[in-house]
mmCIF file of all heavy atoms in Angstrom:
data_model
loop_
_atom_site.group_PDB
_atom_site.id
_atom_site.type_symbol
_atom_site.label_atom_id
_atom_site.label_comp_id
_atom_site.label_asym_id
_atom_site.label_seq_id
_atom_site.Cartn_x
_atom_site.Cartn_y
_atom_site.Cartn_z
ATOM 1 N N ILE A 52 15.340 17.006 -11.096
ATOM 2 C CA ILE A 52 15.093 17.780 -12.329
ATOM 3 C C ILE A 52 16.396 17.877 -13.044
ATOM 4 O O ILE A 52 17.393 18.328 -12.471
ATOM 5 C CB ILE A 52 14.476 19.096 -12.089
ATOM 6 C CG1 ILE A 52 13.207 18.983 -11.348
ATOM 7 C CG2 ILE A 52 14.223 19.915 -13.343
ATOM 8 C CD1 ILE A 52 12.478 20.358 -10.946
ATOM 9 N N LEU A 53 16.466 17.298 -14.316
ATOM 10 C CA LEU A 53 17.777 17.127 -14.910
ATOM 11 C C LEU A 53 17.850 17.642 -16.384
ATOM 12 O O LEU A 53 16.770 17.439 -17.124
ATOM 13 C CB LEU A 53 18.363 15.785 -14.831
ATOM 14 C CG LEU A 53 17.626 14.709 -15.492
ATOM 15 C CD1 LEU A 53 18.543 13.667 -16.072
ATOM 16 C CD2 LEU A 53 16.580 14.049 -14.559
ATOM 17 N N ASP A 54 18.963 18.059 -16.729
ATOM 18 C CA ASP A 54 19.235 18.326 -18.197
ATOM 19 C C ASP A 54 19.877 17.072 -18.776
ATOM 20 O O ASP A 54 20.278 16.284 -18.020
ATOM 21 C CB ASP A 54 20.183 19.592 -18.283
ATOM 22 C CG ASP A 54 20.208 20.104 -19.746
ATOM 23 O OD1 ASP A 54 19.442 19.572 -20.685
ATOM 24 O OD2 ASP A 54 20.971 21.090 -20.029
ATOM 25 N N ILE A 55 19.925 17.095 -20.117
ATOM 26 C CA ILE A 55 20.495 15.866 -20.806
ATOM 27 C C ILE A 55 22.040 16.213 -21.100
ATOM 28 O O ILE A 55 22.883 15.484 -20.590
ATOM 29 C CB ILE A 55 19.818 15.567 -22.012
ATOM 30 C CG1 ILE A 55 18.468 14.929 -21.607
ATOM 31 C CG2 ILE A 55 20.546 14.404 -22.807
ATOM 32 C CD1 ILE A 55 17.626 14.533 -22.865
ATOM 33 N N GLN A 56 22.230 17.092 -21.853
ATOM 34 C CA GLN A 56 23.560 17.408 -22.297
ATOM 35 C C GLN A 56 24.271 18.272 -21.319
ATOM 36 O O GLN A 56 23.967 19.386 -20.988
ATOM 37 C CB GLN A 56 23.675 18.072 -23.612
ATOM 38 C CG GLN A 56 23.204 17.277 -24.832
ATOM 39 C CD GLN A 56 24.301 16.210 -25.179
ATOM 40 O OE1 GLN A 56 25.403 16.160 -24.592
ATOM 41 N NE2 GLN A 56 23.851 15.260 -26.034
ATOM 42 N N MET A 57 25.293 17.676 -20.547
ATOM 43 C CA MET A 57 26.089 18.363 -19.511
ATOM 44 C C MET A 57 27.557 17.858 -19.528
ATOM 45 O O MET A 57 27.816 16.626 -20.055
ATOM 46 C CB MET A 57 25.446 18.088 -18.172
ATOM 47 C CG MET A 57 24.170 18.710 -17.947
ATOM 48 S SD MET A 57 23.575 18.456 -16.226
ATOM 49 C CE MET A 57 23.266 16.655 -16.288
ATOM 50 N N PRO A 58 28.531 18.602 -19.194
ATOM 51 C CA PRO A 58 30.006 18.313 -19.176
ATOM 52 C C PRO A 58 30.253 17.101 -18.157
ATOM 53 O O PRO A 58 29.468 16.986 -17.224
ATOM 54 C CB PRO A 58 30.649 19.477 -18.690
ATOM 55 C CG PRO A 58 29.761 20.356 -18.046
ATOM 56 C CD PRO A 58 28.453 20.032 -18.689
ATOM 57 N N ASP A 59 31.242 16.286 -18.245
ATOM 58 C CA ASP A 59 31.717 15.216 -17.350
ATOM 59 C C ASP A 59 30.814 14.040 -17.417
ATOM 60 O O ASP A 59 31.293 12.924 -17.607
ATOM 61 C CB ASP A 59 31.825 15.765 -15.928
ATOM 62 C CG ASP A 59 32.922 16.779 -15.894
ATOM 63 O OD1 ASP A 59 33.960 16.754 -16.617
ATOM 64 O OD2 ASP A 59 32.878 17.677 -14.956
ATOM 65 N N MET A 60 29.495 14.298 -17.176
ATOM 66 C CA MET A 60 28.556 13.142 -17.299
ATOM 67 C C MET A 60 27.232 13.729 -17.704
ATOM 68 O O MET A 60 26.642 14.639 -16.981
ATOM 69 C CB MET A 60 28.552 12.436 -15.948
ATOM 70 C CG MET A 60 27.471 11.162 -15.878
ATOM 71 S SD MET A 60 27.256 10.598 -14.254
ATOM 72 C CE MET A 60 28.825 9.781 -13.985
ATOM 73 N N ASP A 61 26.630 13.126 -18.684
ATOM 74 C CA ASP A 61 25.231 13.682 -19.181
ATOM 75 C C ASP A 61 24.196 13.121 -18.232
ATOM 76 O O ASP A 61 24.322 12.255 -17.466
ATOM 77 C CB ASP A 61 25.008 13.232 -20.579
ATOM 78 C CG ASP A 61 24.843 11.750 -20.737
ATOM 79 O OD1 ASP A 61 23.727 11.252 -20.401
ATOM 80 O OD2 ASP A 61 25.784 11.150 -21.155
ATOM 81 N N GLY A 62 23.061 13.810 -18.273
ATOM 82 C CA GLY A 62 21.876 13.548 -17.409
ATOM 83 C C GLY A 62 21.375 12.089 -17.440
ATOM 84 O O GLY A 62 21.044 11.488 -16.406
ATOM 85 N N LEU A 63 21.337 11.602 -18.681
ATOM 86 C CA LEU A 63 20.720 10.146 -18.809
ATOM 87 C C LEU A 63 21.722 9.131 -18.268
ATOM 88 O O LEU A 63 21.262 8.096 -17.677
ATOM 89 C CB LEU A 63 20.395 9.921 -20.209
ATOM 90 C CG LEU A 63 19.238 10.864 -20.792
ATOM 91 C CD1 LEU A 63 18.923 10.397 -22.270
ATOM 92 C CD2 LEU A 63 17.996 10.744 -19.887
ATOM 93 N N THR A 64 22.994 9.362 -18.424
ATOM 94 C CA THR A 64 23.936 8.375 -17.853
ATOM 95 C C THR A 64 23.799 8.437 -16.322
ATOM 96 O O THR A 64 23.851 7.346 -15.603
ATOM 97 C CB THR A 64 25.365 8.776 -18.320
ATOM 98 O OG1 THR A 64 25.418 8.739 -19.632
ATOM 99 C CG2 THR A 64 26.370 7.840 -17.603
ATOM 100 N N MET A 65 23.776 9.635 -15.738
ATOM 101 C CA MET A 65 23.555 9.838 -14.354
ATOM 102 C C MET A 65 22.231 9.135 -13.834
ATOM 103 O O MET A 65 22.312 8.365 -12.872
ATOM 104 C CB MET A 65 23.481 11.259 -13.956
ATOM 105 C CG MET A 65 23.217 11.607 -12.476
ATOM 106 S SD MET A 65 22.711 13.191 -12.132
ATOM 107 C CE MET A 65 21.019 13.158 -12.729
ATOM 108 N N LEU A 66 21.151 9.264 -14.684
ATOM 109 C CA LEU A 66 19.910 8.591 -14.308
ATOM 110 C C LEU A 66 20.043 7.046 -14.330
ATOM 111 O O LEU A 66 19.454 6.389 -13.401
ATOM 112 C CB LEU A 66 18.825 9.087 -15.236
ATOM 113 C CG LEU A 66 17.326 8.674 -14.792
ATOM 114 C CD1 LEU A 66 16.960 8.989 -13.464
ATOM 115 C CD2 LEU A 66 16.389 9.275 -15.855
ATOM 116 N N GLU A 67 20.760 6.612 -15.328
ATOM 117 C CA GLU A 67 20.988 5.132 -15.450
ATOM 118 C C GLU A 67 21.641 4.617 -14.200
ATOM 119 O O GLU A 67 21.347 3.642 -13.619
ATOM 120 C CB GLU A 67 21.737 4.813 -16.730
ATOM 121 C CG GLU A 67 21.862 3.331 -16.982
ATOM 122 C CD GLU A 67 22.463 3.167 -18.337
ATOM 123 O OE1 GLU A 67 23.001 4.135 -19.036
ATOM 124 O OE2 GLU A 67 22.615 1.932 -18.689
ATOM 125 N N ILE A 68 22.664 5.261 -13.710
ATOM 126 C CA ILE A 68 23.472 4.816 -12.556
ATOM 127 C C ILE A 68 22.528 4.857 -11.293
ATOM 128 O O ILE A 68 22.524 3.957 -10.482
ATOM 129 C CB ILE A 68 24.681 5.674 -12.318
ATOM 130 C CG1 ILE A 68 25.638 5.577 -13.414
ATOM 131 C CG2 ILE A 68 25.318 5.419 -10.990
ATOM 132 C CD1 ILE A 68 26.834 6.611 -13.392
ATOM 133 N N ILE A 69 21.725 5.910 -11.162
ATOM 134 C CA ILE A 69 20.780 6.024 -10.134
ATOM 135 C C ILE A 69 19.816 4.769 -10.121
ATOM 136 O O ILE A 69 19.571 4.220 -8.959
ATOM 137 C CB ILE A 69 19.820 7.291 -10.206
ATOM 138 C CG1 ILE A 69 20.770 8.535 -10.010
ATOM 139 C CG2 ILE A 69 18.658 7.284 -9.305
ATOM 140 C CD1 ILE A 69 19.985 9.833 -10.313
ATOM 141 N N ARG A 70 19.332 4.404 -11.231
ATOM 142 C CA ARG A 70 18.449 3.211 -11.288
ATOM 143 C C ARG A 70 19.162 2.006 -10.993
ATOM 144 O O ARG A 70 18.538 1.093 -10.240
ATOM 145 C CB ARG A 70 17.820 3.124 -12.731
ATOM 146 C CG ARG A 70 16.960 4.245 -13.141
ATOM 147 C CD ARG A 70 15.800 4.503 -12.357
ATOM 148 N NE ARG A 70 14.875 5.507 -12.705
ATOM 149 C CZ ARG A 70 14.315 6.512 -12.035
ATOM 150 N NH1 ARG A 70 14.626 6.596 -10.835
ATOM 151 N NH2 ARG A 70 13.444 7.409 -12.524
ATOM 152 N N LYS A 71 20.330 1.790 -11.384
ATOM 153 C CA LYS A 71 21.189 0.671 -11.077
ATOM 154 C C LYS A 71 21.397 0.497 -9.588
ATOM 155 O O LYS A 71 21.409 -0.626 -8.980
ATOM 156 C CB LYS A 71 22.391 0.566 -11.838
ATOM 157 C CG LYS A 71 22.251 0.217 -13.306
ATOM 158 C CD LYS A 71 23.623 0.266 -13.945
ATOM 159 C CE LYS A 71 23.569 -0.203 -15.503
ATOM 160 N NZ LYS A 71 24.814 -0.040 -16.181
ATOM 161 N N GLU A 72 21.591 1.717 -8.897
ATOM 162 C CA GLU A 72 21.781 1.677 -7.509
ATOM 163 C C GLU A 72 20.581 1.638 -6.667
ATOM 164 O O GLU A 72 20.613 1.612 -5.454
ATOM 165 C CB GLU A 72 22.585 2.880 -7.139
ATOM 166 C CG GLU A 72 24.073 2.958 -7.636
ATOM 167 C CD GLU A 72 24.788 4.141 -7.251
ATOM 168 O OE1 GLU A 72 24.343 5.024 -6.530
ATOM 169 O OE2 GLU A 72 25.962 4.268 -7.710
ATOM 170 N N LYS A 73 19.427 1.468 -7.458
ATOM 171 C CA LYS A 73 18.116 1.350 -6.728
ATOM 172 C C LYS A 73 17.813 2.590 -5.803
ATOM 173 O O LYS A 73 17.165 2.379 -4.758
ATOM 174 C CB LYS A 73 17.979 0.051 -6.070
ATOM 175 C CG LYS A 73 18.114 -1.161 -6.887
ATOM 176 C CD LYS A 73 17.753 -2.439 -6.181
ATOM 177 C CE LYS A 73 17.870 -3.694 -7.034
ATOM 178 N NZ LYS A 73 17.037 -3.607 -8.139
ATOM 179 N N ILE A 74 18.267 3.703 -6.222
ATOM 180 C CA ILE A 74 17.862 5.065 -5.561
ATOM 181 C C ILE A 74 16.477 5.339 -6.029
ATOM 182 O O ILE A 74 16.262 5.747 -7.266
ATOM 183 C CB ILE A 74 18.921 6.109 -5.754
ATOM 184 C CG1 ILE A 74 20.227 5.710 -5.203
ATOM 185 C CG2 ILE A 74 18.339 7.396 -5.110
ATOM 186 C CD1 ILE A 74 21.322 6.678 -5.529
ATOM 187 N N THR A 75 15.373 5.262 -5.182
ATOM 188 C CA THR A 75 14.042 5.479 -5.682
ATOM 189 C C THR A 75 13.763 6.946 -5.654
ATOM 190 O O THR A 75 13.696 7.622 -4.645
ATOM 191 C CB THR A 75 13.026 4.749 -4.821
ATOM 192 O OG1 THR A 75 13.334 5.106 -3.394
ATOM 193 C CG2 THR A 75 13.279 3.265 -4.962
#
Side-chain angles (χ1 to χ4, degrees):
I52 298 176
L53 64 143
D54 194 2
I55 292 180
Q56 289 293 349
M57 293 183 291
D59 295 330
M60 181 187 290
D61 66 78
L63 295 183
T64 300
M65 177 194 75
L66 186 57
E67 188 174 3
I68 294 171
I69 289 171
R70 296 301 187 226
K71 285 181 180 178
E72 293 183 3
K73 298 188 180 299
I74 298 173
T75 54

